[in-house]
Amino acid sequence: MKSLIRPVRSGSFDDAGAEDVVDHVDHPMVDRFAQLWQAKRGAGAYPDRADFEFEELAPWFGHVIIMDMLENGADFRYRMVGTAITRFLNRDYTGQTVMESNYAGARDKVLDTFHRPVREGRPVFRRGHVIWAVDKSWRTYQSVHCPISAGGQAAAMTIGVLYFSLDPVPDPTVGGGRRLG
């Protein structure tokens, strides 16, 4: 897969933007989840939250993230955050909104992660780098976030999966570029 190199400005990791949005990822579980969303969607614009049975999400337990859209996408509430995600982040955002969570300069980027699938009406894949909360080492992540309705026709939520690498990777800020992928 082709690497994407982006220039790094001081503090640019918290800037909102599309630099981590990609057409596809190579993580098989992320890809399988996007396929499940597509199968649930059928001929409709979006599948409904009720279309996703608890048992069929079992392969992704720990990595599922479900968000409720608030105020036409101005904010999102964490309805469910998988345990693998909360362990990695060293915190549980369940029940909080993005606006009340401690993201500092990354808030716009986090909002975009959940707003973009609703706005575009399709799964949105992301991949990039993040600092692990536990030891401050760099790790990679891959995710997909998909729009779903909540008992109606319009997208009202997102459902997706998020996976972090287990092993540290080199600091992507070294060398003046940010490698995504």
Side-chain angles (χ1 to χ4, degrees), residues 60-118:
W60 298 278
F61 280 173
H63 300 274
V64 175
I65 185 166
I66 301 174
M67 302 294 289
D68 292 319
M69 184 171 68
L70 307 173
E71 305 164 26
N72 293 320
D75 202 358
F76 287 82
R77 181 175 313 283
Y78 291 92
R79 175 180 285 233
M80 188 186 92
V81 182
T83 56
I85 298 168
T86 60
R87 275 194 308 268
F88 182 88
L89 297 174
N90 204 27
R91 67 186 75 124
D92 185 358
Y93 288 112
T94 302
Q96 294 181 11
T97 67
V98 172
M99 295 302 280
E100 66 191 16
S101 300
N102 184 20
Y103 287 116
R107 182 174 291 138
D108 288 342
K109 185 173 185 172
V110 174
L111 280 172
D112 182 67
T113 295
F114 306 116
H115 191 258
R116 185 180 295 257
V118 172

Side-chain angles (χ1 to χ4, degrees), residues 15-33:
D15 292 347
E19 68 270 3
D20 65 342
V21 175
V22 295
D23 291 333
H24 67 283
V25 296
D26 55 10
H27 195 291
M29 296 303 288
V30 174
D31 186 56
R32 273 184 56 201
F33 192 86

